[in-house]
Amino acid sequence: MNKSVLSQVVVCLAMVMLFSTVAAAQTSKIPPTLSGKAREYFVDAQQGDEYAQLALAVCYQNGDCAPQDGNQAVYWYQKAAEKGNVIAQYNLGDIYDEGIIVPQNFELAAFWYEKAAMQGDALAQCGLGSCYFNGEGMKQDYKKAFTWFEKAANQGHAVGQRCLAICYDEGKGVKKNAKKAVEWYQKAAEQGDVIAQYNLGISYKEGQGVKKNLNKAAEWLGKAAAQGDEDAKAELQNFNR
């Protein structure tokens, strides 16, 4: 074997050994608390794969193949979110909004909701709309709340439809319009939104934005009551007296 061929073989062997060493090092870094798919996600997440980072964050959030750890969940969600992953952005917003596995932080919730909302995510649009509506994490602004609810509603999102109806019902961010409120309550109620079902029932009961119809009122209040809504149950008891 001549020198040039021998040197190429040596280089190839060196590269194989190097890759083997790197792979072993990566494997050795896997936290022993991880099991199953979470171990695979960890290796790919360390390499910068946003989908693996997202999956690993979910594992840490739910305690699936990993110990439930809010800090680790946020760490990996943020890695994916910074790459523009819309699911990670929304989940970060939701985690900070709810304050379940990390301390509640409305400013960070609004920040990440907005990132996802700007990408067209209906859930995030509802979340951002709620931040504006309630003045949580930002200055209260009913007009901006209405705008974001409308975007979500136009995508067929039930919560967005219900929130848009409330804006019309209460005249917040838009001129009060009981008829429009009923239209949007109806859309959300038909998708099973319990609050919309209750509000639609009350609209029929009181004749607000729609012709008074006690049968329709009882129908929609009954649907809400069947989902456990206590106010709807109380209203139905009044019907039966």
Side-chain angles (χ1 to χ4, degrees), residues 23-47 56-57 59-60 64-69 72-73 75-76:
Q26 289 174 345
T27 303
S28 66
K29 292 178 183 177
I30 298 175
T33 53
L34 298 182
S35 62
K37 284 288 185 181
R39 295 176 64 82
E40 298 175 27
Y41 296 147
F42 182 85
V43 173
D44 292 337
Q46 287 280 64
Q47 297 301 308
L56 184 59
C59 289
Y60 275 117
D64 183 16
C65 296
Q68 191 172 48
D69 188 324
Q72 282 294 313
Y75 174 83
W76 289 109

Side-chain angles (χ1 to χ4, degrees), residues 146-223:
F146 176 87
T147 297
W148 286 110
F149 289 146
E150 187 175 40
K151 288 180 184 295
N154 286 332
Q155 292 193 64
H157 194 275
V159 174
Q161 292 170 342
R162 179 241 295 165
C163 290
L164 188 63
I166 290 172
C167 288
Y168 277 117
D169 204 359
E170 299 180 0
K172 291 182 176 176
V174 67
K175 186 177 179 180
K176 189 170 183 176
N177 189 322
K179 186 177 179 181
K180 279 279 189 183
V182 167
E183 289 175 6
W184 286 107
Y185 280 142
Q186 180 89 32
K187 290 178 185 293
E190 288 173 351
Q191 293 196 66
D193 186 275
V194 66
I195 297 174
Q197 290 173 343
Y198 173 79
N199 287 354
L200 184 58
I202 295 299
S203 296
Y204 273 113
K205 179 189 173 186
E206 298 179 355
Q208 294 180 346
V210 68
K211 187 177 179 180
K212 187 173 182 177
N213 187 322
L214 295 182
N215 288 332
K216 285 282 188 182
E219 176 188 344
W220 286 109
L221 289 170
K223 290 180 183 294

Side-chain angles (χ1 to χ4, degrees), residues 83-187:
K83 290 183 172 68
N85 187 286
V86 68
I87 298 174
Q89 290 171 345
Y90 168 75
N91 284 1
L92 267 178
D94 191 51
I95 284 173
Y96 282 120
D97 195 7
E98 296 295 329
I100 295 174
I101 59 173
V102 294
Q104 195 170 49
N105 188 318
F106 291 128
E107 287 77 14
L108 285 174
F111 175 84
W112 288 111
Y113 278 150
E114 185 170 27
K115 293 283 188 184
M118 292 293 288
Q119 293 198 65
D121 185 86
L123 279 169
Q125 289 168 348
C126 288
L128 183 59
S130 294
C131 289
Y132 277 117
F133 193 89
N134 298 316
E136 293 175 341
M138 53 183 53
K139 185 178 179 181
Q140 190 174 56
D141 190 323
Y142 291 129
K143 287 186 177 180
K144 287 184 178 179
F146 176 87
T147 297
W148 286 110
F149 289 146
E150 187 175 40
K151 288 180 184 295
N154 286 332
Q155 292 193 64
H157 194 275
V159 174
Q161 292 170 342
R162 179 241 295 165
C163 290
L164 188 63
I166 290 172
C167 288
Y168 277 117
D169 204 359
E170 299 180 0
K172 291 182 176 176
V174 67
K175 186 177 179 180
K176 189 170 183 176
N177 189 322
K179 186 177 179 181
K180 279 279 189 183
V182 167
E183 289 175 6
W184 286 107
Y185 280 142
Q186 180 89 32
K187 290 178 185 293

